[in-house]
């Protein structure tokens, strides 16, 4: 298994901006990665460089030609990073906006039938499915997720799939529980009953953890928000299969190529995603030495997964002489302690304390976490558990066991 050594971790952290200090707060530990990961220094430099360029794509001048080449290169980088089987990539305003656009196109192309999703999904997907199923006159069915595990399995989908399932939505990883889903198994279950179903996946929470493989998933749409995958705010990335791309969708009349992009996009957005792919490529080379680029990207994902699993294990079960969350009597871990679906994220409650108070105390100790409330974002997860809120602690591969130890020290004081 590829491994991130202490020496390599130092090199990794050097590649990110504000890794151990906030420009407003000062020194702090960043365990709020699910809200937006740290940004690569290369992305910061690229953003500044492209912000100064006045030219647009599609003109007959050297600068415009260069911009088109940069966009084409970025799309080729995306194809390798996601292991895309054809189809096309494009950028939009945000991951949420792109999810709405893909779901609207898929729903409006149907004449009756069902759009199938789950209660585990982010409100971007649930809201888009509710709106566009009503507009299209198709039925929206939500499968209940498993409250005990904080996830959903293929068997739950299989129990609700019918031959008239026209569209299906899946979340790759929950931003509240941190539990991933088995896309291959779920899409296989769907295709077994409704082979022509259009399957659209929210990969926003999953992308930072690597190991993306669209060719294996058997789906039609995949959306991410690059600011959660080491790039920056201001754009989203979507992939659509050839058959989803061919459906009627919003674009300018008579525009060549049936485009999905609306208006002139920021070339810098594309260029910064190339920076993300280059980073994964570098990391994969450090942990594997593989000669093939795709193999290096896979190796990077494996190393990230293994490192985050070690951090999560330390947080739950302790490190050194520090007790883990599982041994703190007043702490409850959402989704259970030993859950193999967990991806670098622990959501918890402390008996007798509001989550906001816990987050505030951690913040005072220089540890950045986040409160998830039972609102329109997280009520689908917290309401069935009878919880008004929880504390979300989200890690990434640039975090260290030393940072986990500092968190456990602070939590021991708070919880005891």
């Amino acid at each position: 298994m590829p491994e991130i050594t202490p020496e390599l971790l130092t090199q990794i952290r050097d590649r990110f901006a504000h890794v151990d200090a906030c420009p407003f707060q000062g020194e702090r530990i960043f365990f709020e990665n699910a809200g937006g990961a740290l940004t690569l220094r290369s992305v910061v430099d690229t953003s500044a460089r492209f912000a100064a360029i006045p030219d647009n794509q599609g003109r007959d001048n050297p600068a415009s030609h260069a911009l088109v080449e940069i966009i084409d290169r970025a799309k080729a980088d995306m194809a390798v990073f996601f292991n895309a089987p054809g189809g096309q990539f494009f950028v939009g305003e945000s991951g949420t906006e792109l999810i709405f656009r893909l779901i609207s196109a898929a729903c409006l192309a149907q004449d009756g039938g069902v759009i199938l999703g789950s209660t585990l999904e982010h409100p971007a997907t649930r809201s888009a499915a509710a709106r566009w199923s009503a507009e299209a006159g198709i039925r929206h069915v939500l499968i209940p997720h498993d409250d005990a595990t904080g996830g959903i399995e293929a068997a739950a989908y299989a129990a609700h799939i019918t031959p008239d399932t026209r569209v299906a939505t899946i979340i790759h990883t929950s931003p509240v529980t941190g539990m991933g889903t088995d896309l291959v198994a779920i899409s296989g279950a769907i295709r077994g009953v409704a082979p022509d179903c259009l399957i659209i996946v929210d990969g926003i929470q999953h992308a930072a953890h690597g190991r993306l493989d669209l060719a294996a998933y058997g789906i039609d749409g995949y959306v991410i928000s690059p600011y959660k995958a080491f790039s920056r705010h201001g754009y989203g990335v979507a992939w659509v299969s050839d058959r989803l791309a061919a459906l009627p969708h919003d674009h300018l009349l008579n525009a060549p190529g049936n485009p999905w992009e609306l208006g002139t996009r920021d070339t810098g957005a594309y260029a910064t995603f190339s920076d993300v792919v280059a980073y994964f490529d570098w990391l994969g080379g450090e942990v594997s030495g593989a000669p093939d680029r795709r193999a290096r990207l896979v190796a990077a994902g494996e190393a990230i997964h293994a490192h985050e699993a070690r951090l999560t294990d330390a947080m739950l079960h302790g490190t050194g002489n520090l007790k883990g969350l599982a041994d703190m009597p007043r702490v409850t871990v959402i989704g259970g302690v030993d859950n193999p679906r967990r991806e670098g994220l622990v959501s918890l409650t402390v008996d007798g304390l509001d989550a906001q108070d816990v987050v505030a105390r951690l913040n005072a100790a220089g540890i950045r976490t986040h409160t998830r409330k039972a609102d329109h974002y997280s009520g689908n997860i917290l309401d069935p558990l009878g919880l008004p809120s929880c504390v979300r602690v989200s890690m990434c591969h640039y975090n260290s066991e030393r940072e986990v130890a500092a968190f456990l020290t602070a939590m021991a004081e708070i919880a005891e």
Side-chain angles (χ1 to χ4, degrees), residues 114-135:
V114 170
I115 175 171
L116 185 65
S118 81
T119 57
L120 186 67
E121 291 177 301
H122 187 277
T125 302
R126 289 182 288 111
S127 301
R131 167 160 164 68
W132 291 107
S133 62
E135 292 287 341

Side-chain angles (χ1 to χ4, degrees), residues 56 119 171 178 194 235 242 269 292 320 335 394 411:
N56 294 323
T119 57
I171 190 165
Y235 75 108
D242 291 329
D292 174 73
S394 48
M411 280 299 300

Side-chain angles (χ1 to χ4, degrees), residues 208-209 303-312 343-344 395-397:
H209 308 291
I304 287 170
H305 177 78
H307 184 73
E308 291 174 353
R310 285 194 296 272
L311 294 179
T312 304
E343 292 188 342
M395 294 165 281
C396 211
H397 69 283

Side-chain angles (χ1 to χ4, degrees), residues 329-347:
R330 293 174 61 196
V331 173
T332 299
V333 176
I334 293 176
V337 172
D338 294 313
N339 192 324
R341 293 286 191 204
R342 179 172 278 114
E343 292 188 342
L345 188 156
V346 177
S347 286

Side-chain angles (χ1 to χ4, degrees), residues 2 22 243 403:
C22 169
R243 69 189 191 116
E403 292 177 320

